[in-house]
Amino acid sequence: LRVAREGFVDSYGEKQEPGEMFIFNRTLDTDAGILCDCLQALPSPLRLHLIDLIGLDLSAQAGISLARTIGEKGFASEGLRFLCVRNNPGLGDEGIAAFCKMVPPTLEQFFVHDTGCGDVGIAALIAALPRLPNLWRLGVSANHDVREVTWCSFFRALPQLPALQYLFAGQNPSVS
């Protein structure tokens, strides 16, 4: 857990406000048990505004466990503005679906690039969109198993995001 006493610039070059954030950037071999233990040890309620789980080699089961822990501990309630699970190709549909179920309406930035999700994961994201009125940056690049018909449904659902300014959807063979 890091507490930013002053504003900072995130990995996308955007200024973030001071506050509490959870950034775990150590590669996990097979599961996220140690990460769940770390989250369980944090006091509740703790209003995290940034959770960055980039490139941890998370499996679907690890993603499900992490999403459940984050939700149960209340870390995703009303303060979370940034959630990044990108570069975890083992998450797949089940892992992405678990994260999509726990996203709060305060979320402003959500990155699911290269998570190995397919149609089911993107469908879970589509189902979550109406709950995300503040989402202004969304990344779905490099999810190669999503079929064209699902991408069409995804793009048709985007008007549900009134704040959306940036969409990253490159490196998807079905998106032309």
Side-chain angles (χ1 to χ4, degrees):
L1 176 70
R2 297 180 190 169
V3 178
R5 304 272 181 230
E6 299 177 10
F8 65 98
V9 176
D10 67 22
S11 59
Y12 288 93
E14 293 293 323
K15 177 121 169 83
Q16 298 290 332
E17 298 299 317
E20 294 154 338
M21 66 193 123
F22 188 79
I23 301 174
F24 199 83
N25 50 11
R26 181 180 148 249
T27 301
L28 303 174
D29 292 331
T30 56
D31 64 58
I34 189 170
L35 185 49
C36 286
D37 290 345
C38 290
L39 286 168
Q40 287 290 349
L42 293 173
S44 274
L46 181 64
R47 289 183 45 151
L48 296 177
H49 76 267
L50 184 148
I51 299 176
D52 192 352
L53 304 171
I54 186 173
L56 299 182
D57 197 24
L58 298 174
S59 66
Q61 189 57 47
I64 292 166
S65 296
L66 281 169
R68 183 178 1 173
T69 301
I70 290 167
E72 287 173 359
K73 290 288 286 188
F75 297 143
S77 64
E78 300 311 310
L80 187 63
R81 295 190 313 261
F82 180 103
L83 177 59
C84 180
V85 295
R86 73 181 186 143
N87 297 22
N88 285 293
L91 280 175
D93 288 327
E94 296 83 8
I96 291 304
F99 280 105
C100 287
K101 287 179 187 170
M102 53 76 64
V103 292
T106 54
L107 197 66
E108 297 174 357
Q109 300 177 69
F110 191 22
F111 301 100
V112 298
H113 306 290
D114 189 22
T115 55
C117 76
D119 294 331
V120 173
I122 295 299
L125 177 58
I126 293 168
L129 294 181
R131 298 191 323 265
L132 302 173
N134 300 309
L135 194 71
W136 65 272
R137 194 158 46 171
L138 176 61
V140 295
S141 298
N143 287 301
H144 306 291
D145 295 332
V146 182
R147 294 176 304 142
E148 184 175 355
V149 65
T150 304
W151 282 124
C152 288
S153 296
F154 171 77
F155 288 114
R156 280 194 300 272
L158 292 179
Q160 298 177 73
L161 299 173
L164 188 65
Q165 296 176 29
Y166 299 100
L167 173 66
F168 305 98
Q171 300 174 340
N172 288 308
S174 300
V175 177
S176 52

